[in-house]
Amino acid sequence: MGRSYKGGIRVTRKVMMDLIKDYFVSNRDAEVSIRNIYEVLKLKTHPMRTMCLDVIMDMIDDGYLKEKDGRIQLAHKEKFVEGVIQRRAGGKNYLVPDDGSAAIMVAERNSKGAQNGDRVRIVQFARRSMTAPEGEVLEILQRAKDTFVGTLQVDHRQAFLVTANKNDTDIFIPRDRLKGGHDGDKAVVKVIEWPSEAGRNPVGKVIDLLGAAGENETEMHAILAEYGLPYTYPATVEEAANAIPSEIPASAFEGREDFRDVTTFTIDPRDAKDFDDAISIRKIREGLWEVGVHIADVSYYVTEGGIIDREAYKRATSVYLVDRTVPMLPEKLCNDLCSLRQDEDKLAYSVIFTMDSAAEVRSSRIVRTVIRSNRRFAYEEVQAIIEREKSGEKGPLPGDELVAEIMTLNSMAQTLRDRRMSAGALDFDRVEVHFDVDEKGRPVSVFFKESKEANKLIEEFMLLANRTVAEFIGKTKGRTPKTFVYRVHDKPDQDRLENLAQFVQKFGYKVKTSGTNVEMSKSINKLLADVKGKREQNLVEIVSLRTMQKACYSTENIGHYGLSMDYYTHFTSPIRRYPDLMVHRLLTRYLAGGRSVMQSKYEEYCEHSSNMEQLAEQAERASIKYKQVEYMSERMGQAYDAVISGVTEWGIYAEIIENKCDGLIPIRSLGSDYFEFDEKNYCLTGHATGRKYRLGDPIKVVVSSCNLEKKQMDYALAD
């Protein structure tokens, strides 16, 4: 029984009810007399027994208990529910059931030491009228994680790891398990003993020290560790990569088409080191071209099942933080052997298109090749050429020797893009926030990257190659296609779509919530076009993106809604994405006439890759948020123009226009008025003053506090 009663002490009616309830929860099959209950609860005085009887009668009236032949028992047999625990401050924990039903409260005393995110089985108590459903943890089915990242708090008596998540329980660390850690160090701690009852701390040991809190290297490693992502490369894997010969053996050229004499170039970000795609073009005759999309042949160097491959699969993707790339492959491979560097012979996997002036594909083939890039372009260089040619201006620019090829490819890309949009592809074109950082990693300025024609040139031909490869395997007539890795994207959930329509209606826009996929996609595209340049643009784009399902990898092809393609895969980035490497290997197998691989095995690979992709995205967002807080921490008290980006019952969120840094204005700082939260209209209204704070409203804010540990900022109204 969770509580005990010391006979002779008067208790309140509520405590009496809890004592009775705890008894029957602990003794679910009990059928006892009133006198038995008096004895078990040690009720010796007449007032206490009278109160107990009254409470039992009320619980019978409520349907919680029932009386049969003079004996009291639970009215309903227990209901077992499985789900995930969500811990809340003050011991108000909840189980989120797997079946999607309403959350069930689990008091701290009934949690059995379950931590935030753990999967558990509970018994749901017989529900009393006018009370929320409640339950008790019977079994912890699966721990959410056993490794935590946080800051050590060490004194002469004891040590704990404290995480930034207030819902995590502090982890006790015996002094002989600190691994030399000191107070204030960031550390990775593994739990070695879970509490068997509520109210006790897990016991852990330090498995890695990341450095002093607040240092850039420490914090970036902490973000990676927090999401279970690697922040160092195993020496054995590096050694295996370094042992691969740099020279391409003559045998590697056998069976490959030679494109070394064909005009070929790469277009990448200015600071890129891994060039995994190149594009070639040569004129066949007037109005007809051969265009090649050439992708680094990583599968030639990385043997399936080998030490490098196992590490690449575990990582599944490269991770892009604010100030660094954590690569999927060792540097020798991603920046050297597999990087399609200028003036070097490279092995590639290629899709070769014969295309006319209208960007129609007359024919295509998928082949292994050897290429030699004539030039390495940055996006800015190609963009400058395109803008100069379109404006009619004159003057030399770097890369002018390839201006005809660039403009031909750009014209084709524009036509391909227009065709995709007409077919119902979604036009999400988000601005990316980037930071200039100094030698210590501190952010000194914010800038934004927009996708321009040079970016879209490469994007369209990569999309075309990905679709062509997927169709080659999946688009079969009258026979079952072989198992393959697809990039799939389901259509929006209907409820989310209707919520989007209600949301944008408040700004005077409309979105179709029914009709064909193409009709709904075009409606969303019109919305995105209509909000361009408006103060609500960023908000509408964010809410629209949240309406979409997450794209993922699967062997079950359902098409790609966002791209409006029936067949789509990822073939073009095997240096940084493991699914692309799987696609290359499957292509090689099937082109050689091999049998289909086991679908269940590859579906498991797909699920792992999708999960790792999401973790990498979360880590990237966390690093951006950290740098935003760090950047604004040096601008405390400064005033900025902002827009209300969120409205909640605890305050309003504001996004500064010039740098897109988001912070909370707590409701307590809005003044002495009582504010009512209107969830439907995304609005806070002052009860006395009538002052309204609505989503999308312009406001002026000052930075009032910054918490780097929690990656949070608080703003205050400038006036």
Side-chain angles (χ1 to χ4, degrees):
M1 190 167 69
R3 304 165 194 242
S4 62
Y5 169 69
K6 297 179 180 179
I9 300 174
R10 284 192 67 86
V11 297
T12 65
R13 189 177 182 85
K14 181 181 183 307
V15 170
M16 180 66 73
M17 185 178 296
D18 286 338
L19 289 168
I20 296 168
K21 186 166 67 173
D22 280 0
Y23 169 74
F24 280 103
V25 167
S26 301
N27 302 273
R28 294 181 177 86
D29 296 323
E31 297 180 6
V32 295
S33 67
I34 297 289
R35 185 172 296 278
N36 291 145
I37 296 174
Y38 293 161
E39 292 172 356
V40 169
L41 298 184
K42 300 177 183 177
L43 304 178
K44 298 177 181 178
T45 67
H46 180 68
M48 286 294 95
R49 292 185 174 189
T50 300
M51 181 193 292
C52 176
L53 181 60
D54 286 345
V55 170
I56 288 173
M57 292 300 105
D58 284 347
M59 294 173 81
I60 290 173
D61 290 341
D62 286 342
Y64 187 87
L65 300 176
K66 67 179 180 180
E67 185 269 337
K68 182 179 180 183
D69 299 329
R71 305 183 78 78
I72 310 299
Q73 57 186 289
L74 280 172
H76 303 285
K77 291 300 179 183
E78 61 264 28
K79 176 184 177 184
F80 298 103
V81 184
E82 293 184 4
V84 175
I85 284 286
Q86 288 187 351
R87 294 181 64 86
R88 293 290 184 267
K92 293 183 178 179
N93 312 321
Y94 288 88
L95 178 99
V96 179
D98 291 340
D99 61 10
S101 57
I104 301 167
M105 196 183 92
V106 179
E108 186 66 25
R109 68 179 185 279
N110 295 325
S111 68
K112 205 173 184 177
Q115 302 298 304
N116 194 50
D118 289 352
R119 284 201 74 253
V120 301
R121 179 185 295 120
I122 71 163
V123 59
Q124 185 174 343
F125 300 158
R127 186 170 178 178
R128 301 182 63 241
S129 64
M130 304 300 289
T131 62
E134 191 174 348
E136 177 185 9
V137 173
L138 294 177
E139 181 183 1
I140 297 170
L141 303 174
Q142 183 180 3
R143 293 287 183 181
K145 57 182 181 178
D146 63 359
T147 304
F148 295 81
V149 181
T151 304
L152 293 177
Q153 289 186 354
V154 184
D155 61 27
H156 65 282
R157 293 175 301 163
Q158 56 190 6
F160 288 90
L161 182 87
V162 180
T163 74
N165 188 340
K166 64 183 180 182
N167 295 322
D168 287 340
T169 304
D170 295 347
I171 301 170
F172 173 73
I173 305 170
R175 294 191 67 84
D176 62 350
R177 298 291 187 123
L178 277 170
K179 205 177 180 179
H182 298 93
D183 187 56
D185 284 349
K186 276 280 175 79
V188 183
V189 167
K190 185 179 180 67
V191 173
I192 55 177
E193 182 184 327
W194 292 102
S196 58
E197 59 187 60
R200 296 178 65 93
N201 297 85
V203 179
K205 65 176 182 179
V206 173
I207 59 174
D208 200 5
L209 292 169
L210 302 177
E215 293 182 359
N216 183 66
E217 198 72 8
T218 299
E219 297 300 339
M220 293 300 104
H221 284 178
I223 287 171
L224 291 165
E226 182 182 345
Y227 291 99
L229 298 169
Y231 44 90
T232 57
Y233 224 100
T236 52
V237 182
E238 293 275 15
E239 290 166 5
N242 291 334
I244 301 173
S246 296
E247 295 295 322
I248 303 174
S251 59
F253 293 89
E254 295 175 7
R256 292 179 183 268
E257 290 194 27
D258 194 338
F259 274 75
R260 285 176 289 184
D261 292 332
V262 181
T263 300
T264 304
F265 51 90
T266 61
I267 310 176
D268 291 278
R270 189 179 296 278
D271 57 353
K273 295 179 181 178
D274 55 337
F275 314 127
D276 55 7
D277 59 79
I279 194 162
S280 69
I281 182 170
R282 63 180 163 189
K283 193 172 186 177
I284 299 173
R285 62 172 187 270
E286 195 62 39
L288 199 65
W289 287 266
E290 180 188 76
V291 178
V293 174
H294 306 284
I295 309 302
D297 192 356
V298 176
S299 61
Y300 171 80
Y301 293 99
V302 180
T303 305
E304 187 170 6
I307 185 173
I308 299 173
D309 184 55
R310 293 197 300 273
E311 181 67 22
Y313 172 74
K314 186 169 74 173
R315 294 171 179 243
T317 181
S318 295
V319 184
Y320 297 89
L321 302 187
V322 165
D323 66 338
R324 71 195 63 200
T325 297
V326 184
M328 181 181 80
L329 296 172
E331 185 176 347
K332 173 75 178 287
L333 284 165
C334 64
N335 292 349
D336 183 2
L337 298 181
C338 296
S339 186
L340 307 182
R341 303 193 299 194
Q342 181 178 325
D343 298 327
E344 295 181 12
D345 289 353
K346 294 293 180 179
L347 304 180
Y349 227 130
S350 307
V351 186
I352 312 300
F353 302 98
T354 301
M355 303 180 71
D356 61 24
S357 300
E360 293 287 354
V361 176
R362 300 285 187 86
S363 64
S364 65
R365 64 187 190 277
I366 303 168
V367 292
R368 290 181 115 160
T369 59
V370 55
I371 70 166
R372 189 177 182 87
S373 174
N374 304 110
R375 200 178 199 289
R376 185 260 159 144
F377 280 106
Y379 281 118
E380 293 85 354
E381 293 174 317
V382 173
Q383 186 64 32
I385 290 174
I386 292 171
E387 290 177 1
R388 183 197 63 185
E389 292 300 302
K390 287 195 167 186
S391 68
E393 294 177 1
K394 296 182 179 180
L397 286 170
D400 266 348
E401 70 277 9
L402 295 176
V403 65
E405 289 86 349
I406 288 171
M407 296 310 295
T408 298
L409 289 168
N410 189 56
S411 175
M412 288 181 177
Q414 294 290 322
T415 302
L416 289 170
R417 181 175 175 80
D418 291 343
R419 198 175 294 150
R420 278 199 309 112
M421 294 301 113
S422 296
L426 292 173
D427 188 17
F428 283 108
D429 199 7
R430 300 277 296 139
V431 172
E432 296 181 12
V433 179
H434 291 262
F435 292 89
D436 283 320
V437 296
D438 62 20
E439 65 280 357
K440 293 184 178 179
R442 293 191 68 83
V444 294
S445 64
V446 182
F447 65 97
F448 308 117
K449 281 189 177 180
E450 294 184 63
S451 181
K452 297 184 177 181
E453 282 185 69
N455 305 78
K456 292 180 170 65
L457 187 161
I458 291 299
E459 178 185 7
E460 289 305 323
F461 281 103
M462 297 306 117
L463 291 173
L464 180 62
N466 286 334
R467 186 185 74 189
T468 302
V469 169
E471 288 178 343
F472 177 74
I473 300 298
K475 201 172 183 179
T476 58
K477 294 182 179 179
R479 55 189 174 85
T480 304
K482 293 178 179 179
T483 297
F484 201 55
V485 174
Y486 296 96
R487 180 69 169 177
V488 298
H489 184 220
D490 208 352
K491 61 184 180 181
D493 176 78
Q494 188 62 36
D495 289 342
R496 288 184 183 179
L497 201 56
E498 289 174 359
N499 288 340
L500 172 64
Q502 292 175 13
F503 171 74
V504 300
Q505 189 177 24
K506 303 178 195 315
F507 296 98
Y509 304 109
K510 291 184 178 180
V511 169
K512 289 180 70 71
T513 58
S514 61
T516 66
N517 285 352
V518 173
E519 288 172 340
M520 288 191 290
S521 295
K522 287 186 174 181
S523 175
I524 293 173
N525 281 343
K526 184 178 185 307
L527 168 68
L528 297 174
D530 289 345
V531 299
K532 284 234 184 275
K534 308 285 178 61
R535 71 185 189 193
E536 64 269 16
Q537 175 182 346
N538 197 45
L539 306 178
V540 171
E541 287 177 345
I542 289 172
V543 176
S544 299
L545 271 173
R546 290 173 180 167
T547 302
M548 299 297 114
Q549 305 277 20
K550 289 285 293 180
C552 64
Y553 299 103
S554 178
T555 58
E556 294 284 350
N557 181 39
I558 61 169
H560 197 294
Y561 175 82
L563 296 173
S564 193
M565 293 182 184
D566 294 330
Y567 299 89
Y568 190 68
T569 189
H570 272 172
F571 162 79
T572 53
S573 294
I575 287 177
R576 62 185 180 89
R577 294 187 305 226
Y578 196 82
D580 302 57
L581 182 53
M582 288 195 286
V583 164
H584 283 214
R585 288 172 175 160
L586 291 174
L587 272 175
T588 302
R589 179 187 181 98
Y590 296 155
L591 285 168
R595 298 176 61 183
S596 182
V597 295
M598 187 184 301
Q599 183 175 0
S600 59
K601 175 182 173 182
Y602 273 79
E603 187 62 31
E604 182 182 325
Y605 294 166
C606 287
E607 185 175 346
H608 168 73
S609 298
S610 298
N611 291 339
M612 294 305 294
E613 177 189 35
Q614 289 190 33
L615 287 175
E617 289 175 356
Q618 290 169 20
E620 180 183 357
R621 286 195 293 269
S623 77
I624 292 171
K625 189 65 181 177
Y626 183 89
K627 289 301 174 188
Q628 287 179 325
V629 177
E630 189 176 23
Y631 179 75
M632 297 307 292
S633 67
E634 297 182 354
R635 290 153 178 81
M636 301 283 286
Q638 293 186 24
Y640 293 91
D641 290 322
V643 62
I644 295 178
S645 57
V647 182
T648 69
E649 57 191 339
W650 56 85
I652 58 178
Y653 288 90
E655 182 183 87
I656 293 174
I657 293 171
E658 74 174 56
N659 55 35
K660 297 192 181 298
C661 292
D662 201 64
L664 172 68
I665 303 174
I667 200 165
R668 65 179 180 275
S669 71
L670 294 178
S672 58
D673 200 356
Y674 171 75
F675 284 88
E676 294 180 353
F677 173 49
D678 184 346
E679 187 175 6
K680 287 186 176 180
N681 293 302
Y682 301 91
C683 179
L684 280 177
T685 304
H687 187 71
T689 63
R691 178 84 183 264
K692 289 183 182 292
Y693 295 99
R694 289 168 297 203
L695 197 65
D697 281 353
I699 55 174
K700 206 171 187 69
V701 301
V702 294
V703 186
S704 60
S705 70
C706 291
N707 188 322
L708 275 169
E709 184 70 21
K710 295 183 178 179
K711 307 178 188 70
Q712 292 176 352
M713 286 181 287
D714 278 359
Y715 296 157
L717 294 174
D719 55 359

